[in-house]
Amino acid sequence: MSRDVAGPVWRAHDSLLRRNVAIKEIRPQFHEHGADLHETRHRALREARSAGRLNHPAVISVHDLLEVDGRLWIVMELLEALTLKDTVRHLGHLPVHWTAWIGFQLLGGLRHAHGTGVLHRDINPGNILLTGNRVVLSDFGIAALHGGSSQSTTMPLSYAPAFIAPERLRGGRATPAGDLWSFGACLYFAVEGRPPHPAAGPPAAVRVTPPVKAGPLRPVLEGLLRHDPAARMSGGQAARMLSEILRTEGVAVAPPLLPAARLPPDSFTT
């Protein structure tokens, strides 16, 4: 058993399909009552199931979502990996080309999710997993199960202010631009070895400290960490810039893929 911000994670064995899995019990922190609680729970389960349909190597696979006697369980792919948080703590900071490679792989999964109308809402170094050959974003759908729908102002599970978009800290709803800010904050943390701004202070006072170790990554970080979400760099722009950095560093990567051309109805609002 391990433990993360969402609660205990159990290593288990699926006897039917004969594979090891990870199982996490989710304990929703809903504050609504009566009929509102029922609707919120229904919306959260629907959104988490949508996240479970994501299929990308940079997104952890969700095998099943169970509700037994009022308790919620999510069955996921089991990975033996270090988190980005632990890796940076051990090494101090990561080289530019490592950070660019991690970011490029991760952004592929995030753009895939956004292209299918699914938000993450809680991207932070603790749920970015590094294996031998994969970069994997975990906990898609977990925020929804805890009541953090796209229309909610509920804070993410980790409540790590340095990795939450300023508009979310001010009570705004979750959006793809908010996910991209958190993604940029994680890249900043990787290459600089520290969060992009001090955690203390009111949301209006959020000011990103200029990076000093980022080199060619600096324009990417500055574009993703713009205070105004309308002026923030898009995922497509970031992917192209990261691929160019990697090409310059002599690291071959596939061209960035386009997300879905048309989103499902009510994307980001379920």
Side-chain angles (χ1 to χ4, degrees), residues 109-132:
L110 187 59
R111 294 182 72 210
H112 168 71
H114 288 174
T116 56
V118 177
L119 298 174
H120 189 284
R121 299 181 187 79
D122 192 21
I123 300 172
N124 67 78
N127 55 35
I128 296 172
L129 308 179
L130 308 178
T131 72

Side-chain angles (χ1 to χ4, degrees):
M1 184 186 75
S2 63
R3 184 173 296 272
D4 64 9
V5 294
V9 181
W10 300 87
R11 184 187 183 105
H13 183 73
D14 184 334
S15 58
L16 182 62
L17 297 179
R18 298 181 180 179
R19 63 183 175 187
N20 292 328
V21 297
I23 298 182
K24 179 183 298 186
E25 181 180 4
I26 307 299
R27 297 169 184 171
Q29 299 171 345
F30 300 140
H31 301 293
E32 292 88 350
H33 300 283
D36 289 340
L37 172 61
H38 176 77
E39 173 57 27
T40 301
R41 190 181 188 87
H42 175 74
R43 185 175 64 241
L45 286 168
R46 181 175 58 192
E47 188 163 348
R49 288 185 176 116
S50 295
R53 289 194 291 270
L54 297 177
N55 182 21
H56 193 279
V59 175
I60 199 164
S61 298
V62 175
H63 299 317
D64 206 354
L65 180 65
L66 310 174
E67 185 174 12
V68 181
D69 296 330
R71 298 170 69 180
L72 300 175
W73 304 83
I74 188 166
V75 182
M76 303 173 293
E77 172 186 11
L78 180 67
L79 289 177
E80 302 292 343
L82 289 174
T83 67
L84 178 62
K85 179 180 179 180
D86 290 338
T87 302
V88 172
R89 282 183 173 176
H90 178 68
L91 298 177
H93 70 94
L94 302 185
V96 168
H97 67 285
W98 284 18
T99 303
W101 186 82
I102 288 171
F104 184 82
Q105 304 301 321
L106 200 65
L107 190 53
L110 187 59
R111 294 182 72 210
H112 168 71
H114 288 174
T116 56
V118 177
L119 298 174
H120 189 284
R121 299 181 187 79
D122 192 21
I123 300 172
N124 67 78
N127 55 35
I128 296 172
L129 308 179
L130 308 178
T131 72
N133 56 6
R134 288 174 64 191
V135 181
V136 183
L137 184 56
S138 67
D139 285 357
F140 265 102
I142 300 297
L145 285 168
H146 278 259
S149 74
S150 58
Q151 294 178 325
S152 172
T153 58
T154 303
M155 280 296 100
L157 306 183
S158 65
Y159 194 59
F163 299 99
I164 301 172
E167 65 271 18
R168 292 287 284 140
L169 291 173
R170 296 193 299 268
R173 70 184 186 92
T175 65
D179 271 358
L180 287 169
W181 199 98
S182 299
F183 164 74
C186 291
L187 294 191
Y188 184 108
F189 173 78
V191 75
E192 296 290 318
R194 55 184 170 83
H197 66 84
V206 170
R207 293 291 181 271
V208 173
T209 304
V212 296
K213 302 172 184 175
L217 273 173
R218 180 165 180 160
V220 180
L221 300 182
E222 291 175 341
L224 290 169
L225 297 176
R226 289 172 183 155
H227 201 276
D228 179 3
R232 202 164 291 154
M233 181 181 289
S234 70
Q237 290 173 314
R240 288 190 292 273
M241 293 179 72
L242 288 170
S243 65
E244 180 60 24
I245 292 170
L246 289 169
R247 187 192 67 78
T248 303
E249 294 282 344
V251 180
V253 293
L257 297 177
L258 294 176
R262 297 182 61 186
L263 296 177
D266 302 322
S267 295
F268 311 124
T269 61
T270 54

